């Protein structure tokens, strides 16, 4: 692993990053993604990323959220509801629980998907894959009492 990637992983696992990043990273990602018509996602320079469009669980309105993802063979994605290791589940996970039909913007293309919350052995296998892909997820889980939600997105 290149030293730059190790540095990014180390910084992203800190509590300071968890306090600051949720206010900066998504806003920058949304702005750049919009300006480049879906072709560039800044956070994807560290990890692959999608912009997830869900239906708000309470509002019923479209909600766009830039997220890191773990691409899977077959064209699907794993999404990790880490919320940067903060106590509550991120809002997008509640939206997917209520309305699993969603859309992702992936490499400039909008793709309809169906989300499924992973549980049991399927979740355990996906969690191991997520940790291999991005080890800081372990630090996020260690900081919170809740079980971090994992979703598998499959193309519709």
């Amino acid at each position: 692993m290149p030293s730059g990637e190790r540095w990014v992983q180390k910084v992203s696992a800190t509590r300071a990053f968890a306090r600051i990043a949720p206010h900066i990273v998504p806003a920058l990602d949304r702005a750049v993604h919009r300006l480049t018509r879906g072709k560039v996602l800044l956070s994807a320079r560290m990890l692959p990323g999608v912009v997830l469009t869900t239906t708000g669980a309470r509002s019923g309105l479209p909600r766009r959220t830039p997220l890191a993802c773990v691409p899977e063979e077959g064209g699907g994605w794993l999404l990790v509801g880490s919320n940067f290791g903060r106590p509550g589940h991120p809002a997008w996970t509640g939206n997917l629980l209520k309305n699993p039909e969603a859309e992702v913007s992936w490499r400039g293309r909008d793709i309809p998907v169906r989300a499924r919350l992973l549980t049991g052995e399927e979740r355990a296998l996906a969690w191991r894959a997520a940790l291999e892909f991005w080890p800081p997820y372990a630090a996020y889980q260690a900081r919170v009492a809740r079980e971090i939600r994992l979703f598998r997105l499959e193309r519709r």
Side-chain angles (χ1 to χ4, degrees):
M1 171 186 316
S3 63
E5 189 174 327
R6 278 194 299 273
W7 180 84
V8 169
Q9 286 185 5
K10 187 174 182 174
V11 168
S12 69
T14 66
R15 289 181 189 274
F17 184 83
R19 279 193 306 273
I20 297 166
H23 305 288
I24 297 170
V25 174
L28 281 173
D29 266 344
R30 275 191 288 274
V32 170
H33 190 260
R34 189 172 40 252
L35 290 170
T36 63
R37 295 188 172 100
K39 291 184 176 43
V40 177
L41 200 58
L42 285 180
S43 62
R45 301 291 180 207
M46 294 184 297
L47 287 169
V50 296
V51 175
L52 174 70
T53 302
T54 59
T55 301
R58 289 185 290 220
S59 70
L61 298 173
R63 302 294 184 203
R64 294 175 58 81
T65 309
L67 298 168
C69 67
V70 180
E72 294 190 298
E73 285 187 31
W77 301 267
L78 283 179
L79 296 182
V80 181
S82 68
N83 206 11
F84 297 97
R86 296 184 309 167
H89 292 290
W92 63 265
T93 68
N95 295 343
L96 286 180
L97 289 173
K98 183 159 184 189
N99 303 299
E101 304 284 320
E103 184 177 272
V104 294
S105 176
W106 171 252
R107 298 182 176 163
R109 292 188 27 232
D110 293 331
I111 302 166
V113 295
R114 173 179 285 282
R116 193 164 44 82
L117 178 66
L118 301 182
T119 60
E121 184 59 29
E122 185 179 23
R123 185 200 181 280
L125 287 169
W127 181 248
R128 284 195 290 275
L131 290 179
E132 273 184 41
F133 194 75
W134 190 247
Y137 286 139
Y140 298 165
Q141 182 63 80
R143 283 201 299 264
V144 297
R146 67 182 173 88
E147 181 177 76
I148 289 176
R149 292 174 177 162
L150 288 174
F151 288 87
R152 176 162 282 128
L153 300 183
E154 296 164 339
R155 294 171 188 245
R156 291 189 271 143

